[in-house]
């Protein structure tokens, strides 16, 4: 959730409405974050704001709760007994995040999780968890069982000497331990004997060493760094003009798939799941549903297997101890105690706080003070380029472009972030007041928690805990925290136009089928100052992909020298009508004049979306025309129907499809197919054959047939889906690439070798353009191709 919770937004609206009209006018006329804070801070009621936030923060539970740990551990044990090992491992992780560090209970969570990973075949991860259990004081009486698991993992990994050492250690412990009951002792001895036999067999017949593969065999992308723009290709140049502001232009001809930009986020914050904000009426205070906070590292955004919890809170989780330590040093030591407040005030406020913490107070103060200069007007960085506007024909040096350093270089730095446009004068006064309330609330919490010195980098990380016990400060914010609040207010407002969503392809459905269906999901919100240079087009010429916190921009089509590089901010011509796109783009404070919008607005031609996602006549199947009342376009047919009735029929159909898709989870795939076929027949009576929903129904049918192993039927339906997707998005679109990836899986599982190989080749060609040769999907396609190529000739000849 980017903005604060609804209750806080309503509180801010009431506070704004209660102000004297003259004060509202003065705040509305404030021309910068500095002016707003100077006027607004005196209007705040610290006790009232604090009470309102304390009430709201109770819904966001981020502290350590032993009762929660017991709940999650018991739920994990229940699922483990049902052999749902992945779900059990996740619940053990949630249990560990609630246990106090160093307690015997947390060691049990790690040991239980190691058992789940052992059954999943994740032996390296299992060994890591066993090491964690031992380091956290796992009970001695239970240690032999865990050490046997360790030895078995080492055997499976071919580490025979380490396995022998582990078995020897277990043997000694069993011999010395008199606590073990006789049945338990016999079970351990039997398992020990089995593993020793297995070790002897492996030592007698060592497995041949496997050839190294992976990174060494992956195709490397050529790259020549830009001298001016950090992380950019030398094929780009940084320009500025009156209409487009800062923008990137091709300085040479660019081919599809060519990498144009690789940038690490200056700052990123994981987007939490809605379940983290529990309603007061919830039956249980703890939720077993998985959210982004449980699935991805809170620092590097890598997918989590065995998470490492924060030592102080239950919210932050990391992929390794290294990530946990770096996050603690850079920002989490300050954010940790503010977890519930940051979840309540939204991701934008969290990004703003983390931005200033990463930048450091000295750099924040330097730029904030610079923005106060009378001739700088830095709340609108484009004002510093007036001389460029007055002489547009002159080619200005990049040194004059806002965000560039003294050497004329535009780097992914805090200075570049600070110079992103906040559009201060275009935000509503009420919104700016709410943002001011929110950032001041954060700074007051920092001051009252004794964290001010840590925020200002005046104490080392080793001393930070002592600051929490300092005497709390009352009254106004210190001048230093006012500076931080001013920078944070600037960043919150910048994010409306400059926030970049980091997305990930996430499995939809159970994920246990032979065909994996994935969809893009928003994972985090970030500042990418170089990527923010790209202007919007509803028909972009690039694709953006993400790996952790890094973004890669690739050309999605040929770009001739001199053409501007365009990004799509969300509304794409293939997904929305021009009116819908313009409405969504209004949040960025500009009217889109891209070629796609001009073509639709000026020519009066119906958009591709309007034509293909239209209704058809229930009687003769001809297209329906009109707005409120739709009439058949066939003059011989007199059918007319209200737009609302057809829209209601469409919504009912979508609900039926949703219910059908729930059936395979209850092992009712045949029933799901019957329902989907009926939905398909109903849809054909009032939707155009090219309607996207017709393609989605075909896609769903393919998925269900695949769960039954009916590969030919699945392929037939998916091929029809691909035809419709291609009509909407084009033959080289990333959407077609994802559909072809699914078709390749179906053909691969059905041993349709020649069709699978040709589909894999086409999918590779498309996905490598949009995602690069090292993407996960490309690697999976190459593995399928290798497997098919190695099949015996007798099988190949039959296919």
């Amino acid at each position: 959730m980017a903005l604060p919770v609804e209750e806080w937004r309503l509180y801010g609206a009431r506070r704004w409405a209660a102000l004297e009209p003259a004060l509202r006018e003065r705040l509305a006329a404030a021309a910068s974050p500095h002016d707003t804070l100077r006027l607004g801070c005196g209007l705040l009621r610290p006790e009232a704001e604090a009470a309102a936030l304390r009430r709201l923060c109770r819904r966001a539970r981020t502290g350590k709760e032993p009762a929660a740990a017991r709940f999650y551990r018991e739920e994990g044990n229940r699922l483990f007994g049902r052999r749902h090992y992945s779900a059990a491992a996740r619940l053990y992780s949630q249990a560990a995040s609630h246990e106090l560090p160093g307690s015997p209970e947390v060691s049990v969570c790690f040991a239980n999780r190691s058992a789940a990973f052992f059954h999943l075949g994740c032996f390296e991860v299992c060994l890591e968890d066993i090491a964690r259990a031992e380091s956290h004081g796992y009970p001695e009486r239970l240690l032999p069982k865990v050490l046997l698991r360790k030895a078995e993992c080492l055997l499976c990994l071919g580490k025979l000497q380490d396995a022998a050492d582990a078995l020897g250690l277990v043997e000694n412990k069993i011999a010395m331990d008199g606590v073990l009951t006789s049945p338990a002792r016999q079970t351990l001895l039997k398992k020990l004997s089995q593993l020793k036999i297995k070790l002897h067999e492996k030592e007698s017949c060592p497995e041949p060493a496997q050839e190294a593969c992976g990174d060494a065999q992956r195709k490397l992308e050529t790259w020549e760094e830009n001298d001016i723009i950090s992380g950019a290709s030398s094929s780009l140049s940084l320009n500025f003009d009156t209409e487009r502001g800062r923008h990137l232009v091709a300085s040479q001809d660019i081919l599809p798939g060519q990498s144009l930009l690789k940038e690490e986020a200056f700052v990123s914050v994981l987007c939490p799941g809605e379940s983290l904000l529990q309603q007061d009426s919830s039956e249980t205070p703890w939720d077993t549903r998985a959210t982004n906070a449980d699935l991805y590292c809170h620092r590097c955004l890598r997918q989590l297997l065995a998470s490492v919890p924060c030592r102080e809170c239950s919210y932050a989780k990391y992929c390794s101890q290294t990530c946990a330590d770096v996050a603690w040093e850079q920002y989490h030591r300050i954010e940790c105690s503010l977890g519930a407040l940051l979840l309540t005030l939204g991701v934008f406020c969290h990004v703003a706080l983390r931005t200033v913490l990463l930048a450091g107070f000295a750099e924040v103060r330097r730029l904030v003070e610079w923005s106060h200069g009378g001739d700088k007007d830095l709340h609108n960085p484009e004002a510093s380029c007036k001389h460029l506007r007055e002489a547009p024909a002159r080619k200005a040096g990049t040194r004059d472009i806002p965000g560039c350093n003294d050497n004329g270089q535009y780097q992914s730095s805090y200075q570049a972030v600070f110079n992103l446009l906040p559009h201060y004068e275009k935000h509503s006064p009420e919104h700016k007041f709410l943002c001011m309330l929110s950032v001041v609330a954060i700074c007051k919490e920092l001051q009252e928690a004794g964290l001010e010195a840590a925020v200002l980098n005046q104490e080392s990380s080793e001393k930070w805990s002592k600051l929490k016990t300092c005497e709390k400060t009352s009254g106004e914010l210190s001048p230093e925290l006012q500076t931080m609040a001013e920078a944070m207010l600037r960043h919150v407002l910048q994010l409306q136009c400059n926030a970049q969503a980091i997305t990930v392809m996430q499995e939809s459905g159970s994920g246990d089928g032979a065909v994996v269906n994935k969809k893009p999901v928003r994972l985090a919100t970030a500042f990418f100052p170089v990527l923010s240079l790209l202007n919007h087009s509803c028909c972009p010429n690039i694709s953006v992909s993400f790996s952790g916190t890094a973004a890669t921009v690739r050309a999605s089509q040929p770009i001739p020298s001199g053409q501007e590089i365009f990004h799509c901010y969300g509304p794409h011509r293939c997904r929305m009508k021009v009116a819908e796109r313009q409405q969504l783009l209004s949040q960025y404070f500009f009217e889109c004049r891209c070629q796609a919008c001009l073509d639709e607005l000026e020519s009066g031609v119906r958009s591709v979306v309007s034509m293909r996602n239209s209704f058809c006549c229930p009687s003769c199947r001809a297209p329906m025309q009109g707005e409120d009342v739709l009439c058949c376009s066939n003059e011989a047919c007199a059918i007319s129907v209200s737009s609302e009735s057809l829209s209601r029929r469409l919504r009912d159909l979508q609900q039926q499809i949703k219910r059908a898709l729930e059936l395979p989870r209850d092992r009712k795939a045949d029933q799901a197919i019957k329902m989907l076929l009926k939905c398909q027949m109903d849809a054909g009576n009032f939707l155009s054959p090219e309607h996207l929903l017709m393609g989605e129904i075909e896609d769903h049918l393919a998925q269900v047939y695949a769960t039954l192993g009916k590969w030919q039927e699945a392929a037939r339906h998916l091929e029809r889906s691909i035809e419709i997707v291609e009509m909407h998005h084009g033959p080289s679109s990333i959407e077609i690439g994802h559909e072809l990836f699914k078709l390749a899986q179906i053909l691969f599982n059905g041993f349709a070798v020649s069709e699978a190989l040709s589909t894999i080749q086409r999918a590779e060609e498309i996905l490598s353009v949009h995602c690069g040769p090292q993407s996960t999907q490309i690697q999976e396609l190459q593995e399928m191709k290798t497997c098919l190529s190695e099949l015996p000739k007798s099988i190949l000849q039959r296919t």
Side-chain angles (χ1 to χ4, degrees):
M1 188 164 50
L3 297 176
V5 296
E6 184 180 6
E7 294 88 340
W8 180 247
R9 296 200 300 272
L10 292 173
Y11 176 85
R14 290 195 299 271
R15 290 281 287 109
W16 172 260
L19 296 177
E20 293 291 333
L23 283 174
R24 287 205 301 269
E25 288 181 14
R26 289 173 64 193
L27 281 167
S32 69
H34 177 70
D35 293 340
T36 297
L37 278 166
R38 182 173 51 83
L39 291 167
C41 278
L43 305 174
L44 300 181
R45 299 179 300 188
E47 292 183 4
E49 266 89 60
L53 282 171
R54 275 197 301 271
R55 186 173 62 255
L56 294 174
C57 286
R58 283 198 292 267
R59 290 167 47 190
R61 310 170 76 100
T62 60
K64 302 281 190 184
E65 299 182 68
R70 285 193 298 274
F71 169 80
Y72 286 122
R73 191 168 61 247
E74 289 169 3
E75 284 295 300
N77 291 340
R78 184 175 63 83
L79 290 177
F80 186 93
R82 294 167 59 184
R83 300 185 179 183
H84 295 169
Y85 300 121
S86 294
R90 179 174 52 78
L91 289 168
Y92 290 141
S93 294
Q94 288 179 283
S97 69
H98 279 282
E99 296 285 11
L100 296 174
S103 66
E105 289 78 10
V106 75
S107 70
V108 173
C109 292
F110 290 137
N112 289 359
R113 194 171 69 180
S114 76
F117 284 126
F118 176 81
H119 286 286
L120 290 168
C122 302
F123 302 122
E124 293 281 8
V125 182
C126 176
L127 289 172
E128 291 173 7
D129 263 352
I130 290 171
R132 291 188 184 104
E134 289 183 280
S135 67
H136 283 79
Y138 191 68
E140 282 286 329
R141 61 185 177 81
L142 301 176
L143 204 52
K145 184 177 179 180
V146 171
L147 291 176
L148 282 173
R149 187 181 304 140
K150 177 180 179 179
E152 194 163 3
C153 281
L154 292 167
L155 279 173
C156 292
L157 293 170
K159 300 180 179 180
L160 304 186
Q161 184 56 55
D162 292 339
D165 294 342
L167 289 173
L169 183 60
V170 174
E171 198 165 18
N172 290 335
K173 281 191 172 291
I174 293 175
M176 296 173 61
D177 198 341
V179 179
L180 286 172
T181 59
S182 181
R185 184 186 184 90
Q186 292 302 316
T187 301
L188 288 172
L189 287 172
K190 182 179 178 181
K191 183 68 174 178
L192 177 63
S193 176
Q194 292 171 345
L195 290 178
K196 288 172 77 172
I197 292 170
K198 191 174 180 180
L199 173 63
H200 178 71
E201 290 173 351
K202 282 184 173 287
E203 288 174 334
S204 302
C205 303
E207 296 177 1
Q210 294 184 349
E211 294 182 8
C213 60
D215 292 340
Q217 296 179 0
R218 291 180 181 177
K219 188 193 300 181
L220 296 177
E221 297 182 79
T222 57
W223 183 259
E224 186 177 344
E225 189 83 16
N226 194 298
D227 293 334
I228 301 299
I229 314 159
S230 69
S233 162
S234 58
S235 60
L236 302 181
S237 63
L238 174 60
N239 288 19
F240 178 93
D241 65 32
T242 305
E243 290 186 3
R244 294 175 290 180
R246 293 165 288 188
H247 59 280
L248 298 181
V249 173
S251 57
Q252 62 188 56
D253 292 343
I254 296 170
L255 298 174
Q258 188 173 327
S259 293
L260 304 180
L261 172 65
K262 298 174 183 177
E263 183 181 16
E264 190 73 29
F266 179 82
V267 61
S268 64
V269 170
L270 193 72
C271 296
E274 293 295 327
S275 64
L276 286 167
L277 294 172
Q278 293 293 315
Q279 300 297 325
D280 295 333
S281 59
S282 177
E283 294 181 5
T284 174
W286 306 299
D287 200 323
T288 58
R289 291 174 295 177
T291 66
N292 284 347
D294 307 307
L295 300 175
Y296 297 92
C297 176
H298 287 222
R299 176 179 172 265
C300 72
L301 304 183
R302 289 190 179 92
Q303 194 162 5
L304 290 176
L305 274 178
S307 61
V308 176
C310 170
R311 294 176 62 85
E312 301 293 332
C313 72
S314 63
Y315 176 63
K317 304 173 185 72
Y318 304 96
C319 64
S320 65
Q321 191 60 51
T322 300
C323 258
D325 294 341
V326 172
W328 184 263
E329 181 64 29
Q330 290 183 338
Y331 51 81
H332 191 61
R333 63 194 174 104
I334 295 164
E335 294 178 359
C336 186
S337 62
L338 276 64
L341 178 63
L342 294 173
L343 287 171
T344 300
L345 295 180
V347 171
F348 279 7
C349 282
H350 197 164
V351 172
L353 172 62
R354 190 170 293 180
T355 299
V356 296
L357 293 177
L358 288 170
F361 178 69
E363 182 69 357
V364 171
R365 179 171 58 185
R366 181 182 75 83
L367 287 167
V368 167
E369 290 177 352
W370 184 55
S371 72
H372 295 167
D375 60 341
K376 296 292 188 298
D377 196 20
L378 246 178
H379 63 276
N380 180 12
E382 289 192 30
S384 64
C385 288
K386 288 179 181 177
H387 63 287
L388 297 178
R389 292 180 177 142
E390 292 166 0
R394 177 175 63 86
K395 186 176 181 181
T398 54
R399 186 173 171 182
D400 298 316
I401 296 178
C404 290
N405 61 22
D406 293 338
N407 297 321
Q409 295 173 316
Y410 191 95
Q411 298 178 319
S412 188
S413 63
Y414 182 65
Q415 179 169 320
V417 171
F418 195 88
N419 276 276
L420 295 174
L421 291 174
H423 293 290
Y424 197 79
E425 71 288 354
K426 296 177 181 176
H427 291 276
S428 71
E430 296 92 333
H431 180 66
K432 287 185 283 191
F433 182 75
L434 173 67
C435 294
M436 185 268 294
L437 279 180
S438 301
V439 299
V440 169
I442 292 173
C443 290
K444 281 189 174 294
E445 183 66 22
L446 291 170
Q447 186 167 270
E448 292 176 5
L451 293 170
E452 181 176 358
V455 171
L456 305 182
N457 307 118
Q458 293 176 353
E459 293 286 346
S460 65
S461 60
E462 290 79 9
K463 299 179 181 178
W464 85 274
S465 58
K466 298 179 182 178
L467 300 171
K468 295 179 72 173
T469 61
C470 295
E471 184 178 351
K472 292 185 178 180
T473 309
S474 59
E476 295 184 357
L477 290 176
S478 67
E480 292 81 7
L481 283 179
Q482 286 185 34
T483 298
M484 298 292 275
E486 181 178 334
M488 287 171 61
L489 177 56
R490 178 187 190 85
H491 298 322
V492 171
L493 297 175
Q494 285 173 328
L495 283 163
Q496 180 159 326
C497 296
N498 294 284
Q500 174 64 54
I502 295 178
T503 58
V504 64
M505 294 300 294
Q506 202 170 82
E507 292 183 9
S508 58
S510 62
D512 55 2
V515 178
V516 178
N517 194 22
K518 295 185 177 182
K519 61 179 181 179
V521 174
R522 187 184 188 117
L523 178 58
T525 297
F527 267 135
F528 288 93
V530 180
L531 184 57
S532 292
L533 293 172
L534 300 182
N535 284 328
H536 166 81
S537 170
C538 298
C539 189
N541 51 16
I542 57 100
S543 287
V544 182
S545 59
F546 299 93
S547 177
T549 56
T552 300
V553 175
R554 293 180 177 84
S556 60
Q557 61 191 52
I559 304 175
S561 178
Q563 187 177 99
E564 185 174 352
I565 311 300
F566 286 113
H567 184 18
C568 179
Y569 292 179
H572 196 285
R573 67 184 293 269
C574 293
R575 302 186 188 100
M576 299 179 188
K577 303 173 185 178
V578 63
E580 295 170 337
R581 300 201 304 267
Q582 295 284 355
Q583 183 178 3
L584 277 176
L585 288 168
S586 64
Q587 66 177 301
Y588 299 105
F589 305 118
F590 71 86
E591 182 180 356
C592 185
R593 306 294 291 174
C594 75
Q595 196 59 51
C597 286
L598 291 176
D599 289 345
E600 291 181 44
L601 290 169
E602 295 177 3
S603 66
V605 177
R606 293 178 71 196
S607 69
V608 173
V609 176
S610 298
M611 290 187 289
R612 291 174 180 155
N613 279 346
S614 61
F615 296 112
C616 71
C617 175
S619 177
C620 68
R621 306 291 189 274
M624 300 291 284
Q625 296 177 343
E627 293 296 331
D628 295 335
V629 177
L630 302 179
C631 300
C632 180
S633 59
N634 182 3
E635 295 181 359
C637 184
I639 293 290
S640 64
V641 63
S642 72
S643 174
E644 175 56 33
S645 67
L646 288 177
S647 297
R648 185 167 56 249
R649 189 172 174 182
L650 177 60
R651 290 193 296 270
D652 291 343
L653 180 63
Q654 289 169 330
Q655 286 300 314
Q656 292 177 45
I657 293 170
K658 185 177 179 181
R659 286 194 291 272
L661 295 178
E662 293 172 356
L663 294 172
R665 299 169 191 166
D666 298 327
R667 302 183 183 278
K668 298 178 181 178
D670 290 327
Q671 190 175 338
I673 289 172
K674 290 179 182 178
M675 282 190 68
L676 287 171
L677 289 172
K678 183 179 182 301
C679 289
Q680 186 180 47
M681 185 178 296
D682 293 343
N685 289 329
F686 73 104
L687 298 180
S688 67
E690 300 86 10
H691 199 288
L692 264 179
L693 187 61
M694 300 294 286
E696 289 175 15
I697 294 173
E698 296 283 9
D699 189 286
H700 297 322
L701 281 165
Q703 292 285 325
V704 181
Y705 274 117
T707 63
L708 296 173
K710 297 183 178 181
W711 306 112
Q712 288 185 343
E713 285 293 313
R716 182 168 59 84
H717 285 286
L718 193 55
E719 284 165 355
R720 291 176 186 167
S721 171
I722 289 172
E723 290 175 5
I724 296 174
V725 171
E726 186 169 328
M727 289 179 191
H728 283 263
H729 299 286
S732 301
S733 63
I734 191 169
E735 289 82 2
I736 279 291
H738 293 321
E739 290 298 302
L740 288 170
F741 178 78
K742 287 189 285 188
L743 180 59
Q745 293 178 87
I746 287 172
L747 296 171
F748 174 85
N749 284 287
F751 283 95
V753 178
S754 59
E755 295 93 333
L757 288 171
S758 62
T759 302
I760 288 170
Q761 182 177 348
R762 187 181 170 201
E764 273 188 297
E765 290 170 356
I766 294 172
L767 291 173
S768 61
V769 167
H770 294 280
C771 308
Q774 297 186 18
S775 68
T776 303
Q777 285 181 309
I778 291 291
Q779 299 306 311
E780 290 181 30
L781 288 168
Q782 290 175 349
E783 288 172 7
M784 283 191 277
K785 183 165 60 177
T786 301
C787 184
L788 290 173
S789 301
E790 293 174 351
L791 286 174
K793 289 184 178 180
S794 57
I795 295 179
L796 292 173
Q797 289 170 354
R798 292 200 303 266
T799 60

